[in-house]
Amino acid sequence: IYLHETFYTLMQGYDAYSLKADVQVGGSDQLFNIVTASRKLMEFMGEKPNIGLILGILPGTDGVVKMSKSLGNNIPLNTTPEDMYGKVMSIPDMAMSAFFRLVTRRTPAEIAALEAGLKEGSLHPRDVKMTLAREIVSIYQGEEYVAPAEQAFRQVFQEQGAPETMDSYGVTGGQTIVAAGLASTRSEARRLIDQKAVRLNDRVLEDGAAVLELKGEAVLRAGKRKFVRLVGG
């Protein structure tokens, strides 16, 4: 434990004292900072200790560690409805209950019914996860985006097709998949290539540093969600 971690706890408590906060809301990873340190410091400073409201931690798309942009397992609020739907569908089955409880409008009784249906086999995990994806897209994007997002998911993942709309990139010679925006670094491009996750139309690409050359149009795909339409010069 480094010294700055101790200071973090003290400064968070002093923030609560300075603001004369009545309630602090945080995740369970902030239990000590909020419930113990902040309340004790406020009381020591002569202020009425606040009330700590502790919430569960939302797991990331890996279903294991907490959702974090830095860990790359997050679902951005400012992403597209199609991407949001697809990312929700990628979470492990074991994480569905946490998502229903923490980010949807479902009541405890409704969630319990879904869990019971999964346990007894009357509900298929895929169908429950699609219900979750619809709910999340509806809340954070709008009800009108649910059907198009689900259709895009079905087309890309269940029918193995390409989305109807995608970004276009002009190829004039000398560009790689990094330049096309499907990989942020050469090392990521190499990893995708090694996983045989990059296709130019139906052809698997085997060289991340290969130059993209074509005439006319082609669809470049990296992984399950990244598509770009290449337009040859």
Side-chain angles (χ1 to χ4, degrees):
I1 298 177
Y2 291 95
L3 185 60
H4 75 273
E5 296 183 62
T6 304
F7 287 158
Y8 177 90
T9 298
L10 293 173
M11 293 307 296
Q12 181 169 323
Y14 193 82
D15 278 346
Y17 162 75
S18 180
L19 293 169
K20 294 181 173 53
D22 296 315
V23 178
Q24 274 196 84
V25 182
S28 57
D29 58 343
Q30 298 293 313
L31 179 64
F32 176 80
N33 294 339
I34 293 175
V35 175
T36 302
S38 293
R39 287 173 56 84
K40 289 293 185 182
L41 190 142
M42 291 179 75
E43 192 172 16
F44 177 79
M45 299 289 287
E47 194 67 43
K48 183 179 179 180
N50 64 14
I51 297 171
L53 183 59
I54 305 301
L55 305 176
I57 298 292
L58 182 68
T61 51
D62 54 8
V64 180
V65 297
K66 67 179 181 179
M67 186 176 291
S68 168
K69 183 178 180 180
S70 60
L71 294 176
N73 66 351
N74 67 314
I75 304 176
L77 292 179
N78 61 350
T79 190
T80 64
E82 293 78 12
D83 185 56
M84 181 174 285
Y85 190 102
K87 281 188 165 75
V88 174
M89 291 299 295
S90 74
I91 68 171
D93 294 349
M94 64 181 183
M96 287 194 292
S97 291
F99 273 75
F100 271 115
R101 284 188 169 87
L102 295 174
V103 295
T104 76
R105 300 164 291 196
R106 296 286 170 143
T107 66
E110 289 174 327
I111 296 171
L114 290 171
E115 291 173 332
L118 287 169
K119 185 176 181 179
E120 66 188 21
S122 61
L123 295 177
H124 194 285
R126 180 202 59 221
D127 297 332
V128 175
K129 199 175 296 181
M130 291 180 79
T131 298
L132 175 64
R134 293 187 200 106
E135 176 83 359
I136 289 177
V137 172
S138 173
I139 293 171
Y140 298 100
Q141 300 281 352
E143 183 65 35
E144 67 273 22
Y145 294 103
V146 173
E150 185 167 290
Q151 178 57 34
F153 175 82
R154 291 181 184 277
Q155 182 176 352
V156 173
F157 294 95
Q158 296 182 345
E159 301 170 11
Q160 298 298 308
E164 295 180 0
T165 60
M166 66 186 82
D167 293 336
S168 296
Y169 181 80
V171 177
T172 57
Q175 291 99 336
T176 65
I177 70 168
V178 176
L182 292 188
S184 56
T185 64
R186 289 182 180 274
S187 60
E188 183 185 358
R190 180 71 266 169
R191 178 177 58 80
L192 289 169
I193 291 290
D194 290 342
Q195 295 173 349
K196 300 188 183 301
V198 181
R199 290 177 176 270
L200 185 63
N201 288 336
D202 294 327
R203 178 169 62 89
V204 176
L205 299 184
E206 299 181 352
D207 183 1
V211 172
L212 298 172
E213 294 183 354
L214 74 154
K215 293 183 179 180
E217 295 186 0
V219 173
L220 182 65
R221 173 175 180 168
K224 295 182 178 180
R225 299 188 185 87
K226 295 183 177 180
F227 293 84
V228 64
R229 189 181 309 280
L230 302 182
V231 182

